[in-house]
């Protein structure tokens, strides 16, 4: 696919997908959603970590509503089903770790786009906003799934009903994101975090994601069975053997991702 709304680059096993409509705070339109879906899917094949970020002062301001006439006639059910769901599943189901590098405002569907990644890291000046009820809607793009799981029902309900900004520090304190980082250190910090994952045991990372997510639907016995199965698979990988040898030889492991 030829990208016009985003940029895509791979360097040192890190695929970076940058939302690139800074003039509208990287608002999501049909073409951008298709391009994100394609780029993340490609990154999952070509790299060992995928970073999603935004150009300019915002991460993503959410759905591009355009003019009022078009906004009022949106078929939201179809748009969510046919355009958002494939994009969110591409990120959520990506076989390699995904990082949302939230460089600024993340509002509406843009906030929940960020939350679909495995790890969310934000600048201290960034904020998250579930703006939906301000225009008579409910949180979508996975918001009603991500929010209560990541910061609890009480905070999720307040975020949805009051539609108030959640600062990066609040998001960090409430468990909504992994960490908030000083703006001036953000670029270097994201590069270091991505490099760490890109050099890690990719096959194990994939199974970490699988096991953690399965736990919400399992009782202890079922989850122990999942752990046993997935750990057995990890034990057959080259990376496990390399990790043990490196530990015994007191040197850093060199993982191949398989």
């Amino acid at each position: 696919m030829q990208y016009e709304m985003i940029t895509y680059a791979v360097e040192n096993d890190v695929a970076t997908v940058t939302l690139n409509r800074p003039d509208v705070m990287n608002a999501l339109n049909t073409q951008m959603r298709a391009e994100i879906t394609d780029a993340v899917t490609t990154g999952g094949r070509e790299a060992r970590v995928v970073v999603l970020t935004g150009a300019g002062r915002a991460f993503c301001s959410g759905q591009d509503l355009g003019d009022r006439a078009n906004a009022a006639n949106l078929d939201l059910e179809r748009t969510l089903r046919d355009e958002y769901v494939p994009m969110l599943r591409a990120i959520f189901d990506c076989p390699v770790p995904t990082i949302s590098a939230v460089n600024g405002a993340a509002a509406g569907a843009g906030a929940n786009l960020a939350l679909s990644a495995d790890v969310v890291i934000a600048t201290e000046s960034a904020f998250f906003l579930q703006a939906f009820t301000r225009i008579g809607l409910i949180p979508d793009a996975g918001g009603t799934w991500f929010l209560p799981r990541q910061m609890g029902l009480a905070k999720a309900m307040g975020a949805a009903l009051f539609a108030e900004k959640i600062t990066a520090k609040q998001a960090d304190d409430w468990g909504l994101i992994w960490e908030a980082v000083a703006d001036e250190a953000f670029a270097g910090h994201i590069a270091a975090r991505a490099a760490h994952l890109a050099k890690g045991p990719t096959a194990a990372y994939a199974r970490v994601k699988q096991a953690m997510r399965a736990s919400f639907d399992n009782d202890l016995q079922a989850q122990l069975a999942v752990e046993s199965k997935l750990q057995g698979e990890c034990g057959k990988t080259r990376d496990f053997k390399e990790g043990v040898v490196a530990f015994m030889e007191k040197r850093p492991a060199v993982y191949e991702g398989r």
Side-chain angles (χ1 to χ4, degrees), residues 60-143:
C60 179
S61 59
Q63 169 71 31
D64 187 353
L65 295 176
D67 62 53
R68 292 184 180 180
N70 289 337
N73 294 318
L74 277 175
D75 183 342
L76 295 177
E77 182 177 0
R78 184 210 62 77
T79 301
L80 288 166
R81 182 187 65 239
D82 296 347
E83 299 178 17
Y84 277 94
V85 169
M87 176 182 67
L88 295 165
R89 293 302 316 208
I91 299 167
F92 191 78
D93 295 335
C94 187
V96 301
T98 55
I99 299 174
S100 284
V102 181
N103 54 297
N112 299 329
L113 171 65
L115 298 178
S116 66
D118 300 319
V119 175
V120 184
I121 303 174
T123 62
E124 289 180 345
S125 65
F127 65 85
F128 300 81
L129 175 62
Q130 297 295 320
F132 301 91
T133 57
R134 292 186 179 187
I135 56 171
L137 298 176
I138 68 168
D140 61 23

Side-chain angles (χ1 to χ4, degrees), residues 127-249:
F127 65 85
F128 300 81
L129 175 62
Q130 297 295 320
F132 301 91
T133 57
R134 292 186 179 187
I135 56 171
L137 298 176
I138 68 168
D140 61 23
T144 59
W145 197 89
F146 297 125
L147 290 169
R149 282 167 171 76
Q150 291 173 215
M151 64 176 180
L153 182 59
K155 293 294 187 187
M157 196 69 79
L161 294 177
F162 291 115
E164 295 176 352
K165 289 181 181 179
I166 300 170
T167 67
K169 185 180 185 308
Q170 287 175 314
D172 187 6
D173 291 343
W174 295 349
L176 184 63
I177 67 174
W178 171 241
E179 57 189 349
V181 179
D183 289 42
E184 61 273 17
F186 187 66
H189 187 81
I190 290 294
R193 287 296 200 189
H196 175 86
L197 293 177
K199 294 177 181 176
T202 309
Y205 290 157
R207 288 168 176 83
V208 166
K209 293 165 65 166
Q210 186 177 345
M212 289 287 190
R213 290 165 180 168
S215 70
F216 287 99
D217 297 320
N218 289 337
D219 60 19
L220 177 60
Q221 190 63 30
Q223 189 62 21
L224 291 173
V226 168
E227 287 181 1
S228 298
K229 176 180 180 295
L230 296 178
Q231 196 73 299
E233 294 173 3
C234 287
K236 297 175 183 177
T237 63
R238 293 185 182 183
D239 280 349
F240 170 65
K241 295 177 176 63
E242 164 62 11
V244 172
V245 171
F247 176 79
M248 299 299 291
E249 295 179 352

Side-chain angles (χ1 to χ4, degrees), residues 31-53:
Q31 183 175 346
M32 180 184 272
R33 287 188 286 272
E35 291 183 10
I36 293 170
T37 303
D38 185 83
V40 171
T41 302
T42 301
R45 294 193 300 263
E46 295 183 345
R48 291 171 66 177
V49 61
V50 174
V51 176
L52 186 66
T53 193

